[in-house]
Amino acid sequence: MSFDQLGLRAELLKAIKSKGYDAPTPIQERAIPVILGGQDILARAQTGTGKTDAFALPLVEILSRQKGNGRHPRALVLAPTRELALQVGESIKGYARRASLRCTVVHGGVGIHPQIDRLKRGVDILVATPGRLIDLAMHRHLKLSSIEFLVFDEADRMLDLGFSNEISEIISIMPQERRTMLFSATYTPEIRELAGKMLQDPAFIEVTPQNTAAESVDQKVHMVEKSNKRSLLVHLITRGRWSRVLVFCRTKHGANKLRERLIDHGISSAALHGNMSQSVRSRTLQEFKDGEIGVLVATDVAARGLDISQLPYVVNYDVPTMPEDYVHRIGRTGRAGDRGVAITLVGAEEMDHFEAIEALLKQKIPVEKVTGFTQGHEVPDFVLYRPTSTRNNKKVDKDLKNIVDTRITAKQEAKARKSKSGGASKGDRSKAKSSFDSDRRNDSAGEKSSRSGSRSSQGPKAGGGRRNDSAGENASRSGSRSSQGPKAGGGRRNDSAGENASRSGSRSSQGPKAGGGRRNDSTGENASRPWGRSSQGPKSGGGKRNDSAGKKSSRPGARSSQGAKSGKPRGRR
């Protein structure tokens, strides 16, 4: 069948011929007559099968037969992503201008005011993303009361992106009397439920079995370790001299990182993902189409809707977690009658996802080896054996497993011994340090005497006091003075087994805020002469203590005083 037999006007046939199309695709051949006949449709077709023209051509044909008011849109096409909306809009504009119809595109990510200005000038066909459409309608910049045709392109993807509430809201403000066309790549339960709500006595059109890859795409798989993926991709691009490659990554961060590594190897690359502004995304995509960029690293946001002519290679750098996404990714190549190659790099941790893809396609994808990069059957088993992998533990030879387990156990024991010896050495070092500190103490078994008039002083803010231990006599001559500066950390302590005598008029003083007082402990006589005085400055940490096992006498009139706020106040005894 040719386009001439589909009942399209001459202007549209010229536009089709200018695009180089000779015959309609299966989806076009079956959908165009049904739409022209006035029936709702639910069509399932894979990407790259020409489904955009399958609804664009009859839509323009019907609207051109009767002119509208030119102000409000008569047909609405909803698309899940900005890229798809722009591409659908460009395709429809090519046909609409031949029939004197106006088509415009509205989407998020760009300023809303230029779009409002275009709507004020009048539009016949509006292509929109759900979010921006609701914004315009809620602010009364757009009226949908004149809509005659409603088209959902990539309806399943729209639901996957969480637009179910937006779709319900849009339907609620649409007129009940309208024609509805729903195009989807899959027939999920959600799609069937949506079709049941919107379509009236629809025609079901299915040109390809569900979840099948296009026959024009040659699929192959490289089994490669995750750490080797980047090196393998660089090798494939440089060895094959690939000039246009679309690479899919799972995350935005992964796409940016891979782009940087490719640039480091001298390969012109760019990233395409949702964190980029719409102007940057559009410019990047156009540069890739024009050949200014050799490798486009994209996330699944671009898996559907990218219509890039003569794209020879698609690489799945990360295996998609959803098997259906694999079909949409590789559908970017092998379009419009061209052949394409889809390569998937599969790591050991991605085998479950890859097996799910093969189960969905109901076919085995050929595995190819690249010397020096991929895992091949000729590689010895011990190279591929990973003790932590459940899959490997089930398949590995028992003798090999015992050898590996023995080596692992030996390493763990050596590590434990090293840790234990390290702890013992640390204890020895602690003991040595304690012994060294003990040697620094001034312990003597002989006599330590302080001459009359001698003075022991400590500066301000001293960290600690001085300790004198002796087994002999510790005598303080008449008039001897022991002073400590302000804010001392500790007092002075005199311990003796002999006589500890304080002569008449001797004085022990401590400055203000002292950390501790003076302590005299003796097993002999502790005598206080007449009018002897012990004083302590204000805010001292402790008072004066006289303990003796011998004679303890207090002369008449002797006085013991303590400064203000002392830690251990004493009265007269």
PDB file of all heavy atoms in Angstrom, residues 193-209:
ATOM      1  N   GLU A 193      -6.631  -0.016  32.262  1.00  0.00           N
ATOM      2  CA  GLU A 193      -7.576   0.704  33.109  1.00  0.00           C
ATOM      3  C   GLU A 193      -7.792   2.125  32.612  1.00  0.00           C
ATOM      4  O   GLU A 193      -8.928   2.631  32.592  1.00  0.00           O
ATOM      5  CB  GLU A 193      -7.049   0.720  34.546  1.00  0.00           C
ATOM      6  CG  GLU A 193      -7.973   1.414  35.531  1.00  0.00           C
ATOM      7  CD  GLU A 193      -7.407   1.429  36.938  1.00  0.00           C
ATOM      8  OE1 GLU A 193      -6.318   0.848  37.152  1.00  0.00           O
ATOM      9  OE2 GLU A 193      -8.049   2.040  37.821  1.00  0.00           O
ATOM     10  N   LEU A 194      -6.689   2.777  32.204  1.00  0.00           N
ATOM     11  CA  LEU A 194      -6.807   4.135  31.665  1.00  0.00           C
ATOM     12  C   LEU A 194      -7.624   4.153  30.382  1.00  0.00           C
ATOM     13  O   LEU A 194      -8.454   5.046  30.165  1.00  0.00           O
ATOM     14  CB  LEU A 194      -5.409   4.702  31.414  1.00  0.00           C
ATOM     15  CG  LEU A 194      -5.322   6.128  30.874  1.00  0.00           C
ATOM     16  CD1 LEU A 194      -5.907   7.111  31.883  1.00  0.00           C
ATOM     17  CD2 LEU A 194      -3.878   6.497  30.544  1.00  0.00           C
ATOM     18  N   ALA A 195      -7.385   3.169  29.531  1.00  0.00           N
ATOM     19  CA  ALA A 195      -8.145   3.099  28.277  1.00  0.00           C
ATOM     20  C   ALA A 195      -9.630   2.875  28.542  1.00  0.00           C
ATOM     21  O   ALA A 195     -10.492   3.436  27.835  1.00  0.00           O
ATOM     22  CB  ALA A 195      -7.585   1.972  27.407  1.00  0.00           C
ATOM     23  N   GLY A 196      -9.945   2.074  29.565  1.00  0.00           N
ATOM     24  CA  GLY A 196     -11.347   1.843  29.876  1.00  0.00           C
ATOM     25  C   GLY A 196     -12.069   3.101  30.329  1.00  0.00           C
ATOM     26  O   GLY A 196     -13.276   3.247  30.106  1.00  0.00           O
ATOM     27  N   LYS A 197     -11.337   4.028  30.951  1.00  0.00           N
ATOM     28  CA  LYS A 197     -11.958   5.274  31.413  1.00  0.00           C
ATOM     29  C   LYS A 197     -12.120   6.291  30.281  1.00  0.00           C
ATOM     30  O   LYS A 197     -13.078   7.070  30.292  1.00  0.00           O
ATOM     31  CB  LYS A 197     -11.106   5.900  32.514  1.00  0.00           C
ATOM     32  CG  LYS A 197     -11.036   5.090  33.803  1.00  0.00           C
ATOM     33  CD  LYS A 197     -10.135   5.782  34.817  1.00  0.00           C
ATOM     34  CE  LYS A 197     -10.056   4.992  36.108  1.00  0.00           C
ATOM     35  NZ  LYS A 197      -9.160   5.648  37.102  1.00  0.00           N
ATOM     36  N   MET A 198     -11.201   6.316  29.329  1.00  0.00           N
ATOM     37  CA  MET A 198     -11.174   7.404  28.352  1.00  0.00           C
ATOM     38  C   MET A 198     -11.749   7.026  26.990  1.00  0.00           C
ATOM     39  O   MET A 198     -12.311   7.889  26.296  1.00  0.00           O
ATOM     40  CB  MET A 198      -9.730   7.881  28.147  1.00  0.00           C
ATOM     41  CG  MET A 198      -9.081   8.460  29.377  1.00  0.00           C
ATOM     42  SD  MET A 198      -7.483   9.199  28.982  1.00  0.00           S
ATOM     43  CE  MET A 198      -6.674   7.804  28.210  1.00  0.00           C
ATOM     44  N   LEU A 199     -11.597   5.790  26.576  1.00  0.00           N
ATOM     45  CA  LEU A 199     -11.941   5.408  25.204  1.00  0.00           C
ATOM     46  C   LEU A 199     -13.369   4.892  25.113  1.00  0.00           C
ATOM     47  O   LEU A 199     -13.869   4.229  26.034  1.00  0.00           O
ATOM     48  CB  LEU A 199     -10.969   4.342  24.692  1.00  0.00           C
ATOM     49  CG  LEU A 199      -9.482   4.695  24.758  1.00  0.00           C
ATOM     50  CD1 LEU A 199      -8.639   3.560  24.214  1.00  0.00           C
ATOM     51  CD2 LEU A 199      -9.192   5.981  24.014  1.00  0.00           C
ATOM     52  N   GLN A 200     -13.997   5.194  24.010  1.00  0.00           N
ATOM     53  CA  GLN A 200     -15.354   4.721  23.747  1.00  0.00           C
ATOM     54  C   GLN A 200     -15.331   3.841  22.497  1.00  0.00           C
ATOM     55  O   GLN A 200     -15.011   4.309  21.400  1.00  0.00           O
ATOM     56  CB  GLN A 200     -16.306   5.907  23.531  1.00  0.00           C
ATOM     57  CG  GLN A 200     -16.446   6.797  24.767  1.00  0.00           C
ATOM     58  CD  GLN A 200     -17.366   7.972  24.520  1.00  0.00           C
ATOM     59  OE1 GLN A 200     -17.886   8.141  23.417  1.00  0.00           O
ATOM     60  NE2 GLN A 200     -17.576   8.789  25.549  1.00  0.00           N
ATOM     61  N   ASP A 201     -15.642   2.582  22.722  1.00  0.00           N
ATOM     62  CA  ASP A 201     -15.663   1.596  21.639  1.00  0.00           C
ATOM     63  C   ASP A 201     -14.393   1.711  20.775  1.00  0.00           C
ATOM     64  O   ASP A 201     -14.468   1.967  19.569  1.00  0.00           O
ATOM     65  CB  ASP A 201     -16.911   1.801  20.764  1.00  0.00           C
ATOM     66  CG  ASP A 201     -17.106   0.658  19.781  1.00  0.00           C
ATOM     67  OD1 ASP A 201     -16.566  -0.441  20.046  1.00  0.00           O
ATOM     68  OD2 ASP A 201     -17.742   0.876  18.732  1.00  0.00           O
ATOM     69  N   PRO A 202     -13.208   1.536  21.389  1.00  0.00           N
ATOM     70  CA  PRO A 202     -11.971   1.744  20.632  1.00  0.00           C
ATOM     71  C   PRO A 202     -11.622   0.574  19.718  1.00  0.00           C
ATOM     72  O   PRO A 202     -12.063  -0.564  19.929  1.00  0.00           O
ATOM     73  CB  PRO A 202     -10.919   1.890  21.740  1.00  0.00           C
ATOM     74  CG  PRO A 202     -11.434   1.025  22.844  1.00  0.00           C
ATOM     75  CD  PRO A 202     -12.932   1.142  22.792  1.00  0.00           C
ATOM     76  N   ALA A 203     -10.804   0.874  18.747  1.00  0.00           N
ATOM     77  CA  ALA A 203     -10.215  -0.155  17.889  1.00  0.00           C
ATOM     78  C   ALA A 203      -8.835  -0.494  18.444  1.00  0.00           C
ATOM     79  O   ALA A 203      -8.043   0.403  18.725  1.00  0.00           O
ATOM     80  CB  ALA A 203     -10.096   0.366  16.455  1.00  0.00           C
ATOM     81  N   PHE A 204      -8.572  -1.775  18.604  1.00  0.00           N
ATOM     82  CA  PHE A 204      -7.281  -2.210  19.138  1.00  0.00           C
ATOM     83  C   PHE A 204      -6.346  -2.540  17.978  1.00  0.00           C
ATOM     84  O   PHE A 204      -6.670  -3.388  17.132  1.00  0.00           O
ATOM     85  CB  PHE A 204      -7.472  -3.428  20.044  1.00  0.00           C
ATOM     86  CG  PHE A 204      -8.254  -3.139  21.290  1.00  0.00           C
ATOM     87  CD1 PHE A 204      -9.633  -3.327  21.321  1.00  0.00           C
ATOM     88  CD2 PHE A 204      -7.616  -2.672  22.443  1.00  0.00           C
ATOM     89  CE1 PHE A 204     -10.355  -3.057  22.468  1.00  0.00           C
ATOM     90  CE2 PHE A 204      -8.332  -2.401  23.588  1.00  0.00           C
ATOM     91  CZ  PHE A 204      -9.706  -2.593  23.595  1.00  0.00           C
ATOM     92  N   ILE A 205      -5.203  -1.867  17.994  1.00  0.00           N
ATOM     93  CA  ILE A 205      -4.229  -2.058  16.916  1.00  0.00           C
ATOM     94  C   ILE A 205      -2.910  -2.482  17.536  1.00  0.00           C
ATOM     95  O   ILE A 205      -2.383  -1.786  18.413  1.00  0.00           O
ATOM     96  CB  ILE A 205      -4.044  -0.777  16.084  1.00  0.00           C
ATOM     97  CG1 ILE A 205      -5.374  -0.360  15.453  1.00  0.00           C
ATOM     98  CG2 ILE A 205      -2.962  -0.962  15.039  1.00  0.00           C
ATOM     99  CD1 ILE A 205      -5.297   0.952  14.706  1.00  0.00           C
ATOM    100  N   GLU A 206      -2.395  -3.608  17.073  1.00  0.00           N
ATOM    101  CA  GLU A 206      -1.118  -4.100  17.575  1.00  0.00           C
ATOM    102  C   GLU A 206      -0.331  -4.634  16.387  1.00  0.00           C
ATOM    103  O   GLU A 206      -0.748  -5.601  15.742  1.00  0.00           O
ATOM    104  CB  GLU A 206      -1.334  -5.204  18.609  1.00  0.00           C
ATOM    105  CG  GLU A 206      -0.054  -5.696  19.245  1.00  0.00           C
ATOM    106  CD  GLU A 206      -0.332  -6.693  20.352  1.00  0.00           C
ATOM    107  OE1 GLU A 206      -1.505  -6.849  20.725  1.00  0.00           O
ATOM    108  OE2 GLU A 206       0.631  -7.322  20.838  1.00  0.00           O
ATOM    109  N   VAL A 207       0.790  -3.994  16.119  1.00  0.00           N
ATOM    110  CA  VAL A 207       1.563  -4.369  14.942  1.00  0.00           C
ATOM    111  C   VAL A 207       2.775  -5.215  15.296  1.00  0.00           C
ATOM    112  O   VAL A 207       3.340  -5.884  14.433  1.00  0.00           O
ATOM    113  CB  VAL A 207       2.025  -3.121  14.164  1.00  0.00           C
ATOM    114  CG1 VAL A 207       0.821  -2.367  13.618  1.00  0.00           C
ATOM    115  CG2 VAL A 207       2.857  -2.209  15.050  1.00  0.00           C
ATOM    116  N   THR A 208       3.218  -5.204  16.533  1.00  0.00           N
ATOM    117  CA  THR A 208       4.355  -6.025  16.964  1.00  0.00           C
ATOM    118  C   THR A 208       4.004  -6.686  18.282  1.00  0.00           C
ATOM    119  O   THR A 208       3.279  -6.104  19.099  1.00  0.00           O
ATOM    120  CB  THR A 208       5.631  -5.180  17.161  1.00  0.00           C
ATOM    121  OG1 THR A 208       5.351  -4.121  18.085  1.00  0.00           O
ATOM    122  CG2 THR A 208       6.105  -4.597  15.851  1.00  0.00           C
ATOM    123  N   PRO A 209       4.489  -7.889  18.521  1.00  0.00           N
ATOM    124  CA  PRO A 209       4.225  -8.530  19.819  1.00  0.00           C
ATOM    125  C   PRO A 209       4.772  -7.684  20.951  1.00  0.00           C
ATOM    126  O   PRO A 209       5.721  -6.922  20.781  1.00  0.00           O
ATOM    127  CB  PRO A 209       4.975  -9.866  19.707  1.00  0.00           C
ATOM    128  CG  PRO A 209       5.138 -10.092  18.242  1.00  0.00           C
ATOM    129  CD  PRO A 209       5.271  -8.740  17.627  1.00  0.00           C
TER     130      PRO A 209
END
